[in-house]
Amino acid sequence: MDKRTKLIMSQVMLPSQANVAGNVHGGEIMKLMDTAAGAVAKKYARCNVVTARVDELQFHLPIFVGALVTLTATIAYVGRTSMEVIVNVDVEDLESDSEPKRALSSYFTMVALDKAGKPRALPQLQLETEEEKNLYEEVKRRRDKLKCSCNPEN
Ligand SMILES: CC(C)(COP(=O)(O)OP(=O)(O)OC[C@H]1O[C@@H](n2cnc3c(N)ncnc32)[C@H](O)[C@@H]1OP(=O)(O)O)[C@@H](O)C(=O)NCCC(=O)NCCS
């Protein structure tokens, strides 16, 4: 696997990130997800990147103060200048023996920019494993569908 297409980031949730009941604010996790997506995109593109779109952001489970949150950002598809990054967030209660569970998931579209702030061409994605190839096809289908539904002639 190309080491530039994956990034893992962990953090213990603090009281300053939560409401009075101890639930971590959604926006705090969304910021971490954007940071992880931006970091893996920059790691791949080796230039400035911006977030162009966020899709299918889902909160599957609540996250509480003290939990260990692990974000995995994976570049699943690369277009000419844009990258589709899947960001998954797993939560782990460090005071029990329970396994980490999927708490959030989303797709981020990141665009590589040149020094003038214009979209810049990216190197082609090297797909090695079956899993990478399947993920690429799945994300490509999702993108093509989005393009169709955005076209007013459809
Ligand atoms: C993202 C941005 C650079 C795109 O600029 P643009 O002039 O529309 O560029 P293009 O039309 O050439 O599109 C560039 C790529 O981005 C993709 N893209 C642009 N807008 C998109 C959107 N809303 N959703 C999905 N993809 C998008 C295009 O499909 C294209 O991909 P490709 O080259 O892989 O085929 C511009 O819209 C922008 O600066 N937006 C604000 C970004 C920002 O400030 N984010 C928050 C802070 S990080």
Side-chain angles (χ1 to χ4, degrees):
M1 179 207 262
D2 183 346
K3 289 193 173 62
R4 292 189 177 186
T5 60
K6 195 167 197 155
L7 182 135
I8 298 174
M9 220 170 82
S10 285
Q11 207 177 93
V12 172
M13 294 294 106
L14 301 173
S16 59
Q17 295 171 299
N19 67 17
V20 289
N23 290 82
V24 174
H25 296 296
E28 291 281 347
I29 308 291
M30 286 154 67
K31 184 163 189 283
L32 287 175
M33 292 172 88
D34 194 34
T35 301
V40 77
K42 190 163 185 172
K43 187 172 153 181
Y44 184 81
R46 302 281 153 170
C47 62
N48 187 26
V49 297
V50 286
T51 311
R53 184 181 186 110
V54 182
D55 286 309
E56 296 181 42
L57 177 63
Q58 294 189 60
F59 292 81
H60 309 290
L61 289 175
I63 299 178
F64 295 100
V65 170
L68 178 72
V69 158
T70 299
L71 298 102
T72 306
T74 309
I75 297 182
Y77 175 91
V78 174
R80 198 183 78 79
T81 66
S82 69
M83 295 156 272
E84 287 283 320
V85 184
I86 297 176
V87 183
N88 288 320
V89 181
D90 293 328
V91 64
E92 187 174 352
D93 175 5
L94 297 180
E95 295 190 2
S96 77
D97 282 334
S98 59
E99 291 295 311
K101 294 190 180 77
R102 181 64 35 87
L104 282 86
S105 54
S106 190
Y107 294 89
F108 283 72
T109 306
M110 313 300 294
V111 178
L113 301 180
D114 64 18
K115 291 247 174 348
K118 299 280 177 229
R120 170 184 142 157
L122 287 162
Q124 244 189 341
L125 189 61
Q126 301 300 318
L127 300 167
E128 288 162 18
T129 65
E130 272 312 298
E131 193 188 341
E132 285 169 358
K133 288 175 191 165
N134 290 339
L135 205 57
Y136 176 92
E137 287 305 326
E138 181 192 316
V139 170
K140 187 173 181 307
R141 273 198 299 276
R142 201 188 68 81
R143 256 177 89 102
D144 292 345
K145 209 162 135 191
L146 271 176
K147 271 189 194 153
C148 271
S149 62
C150 289
N151 184 344
E153 286 174 18
N154 288 317

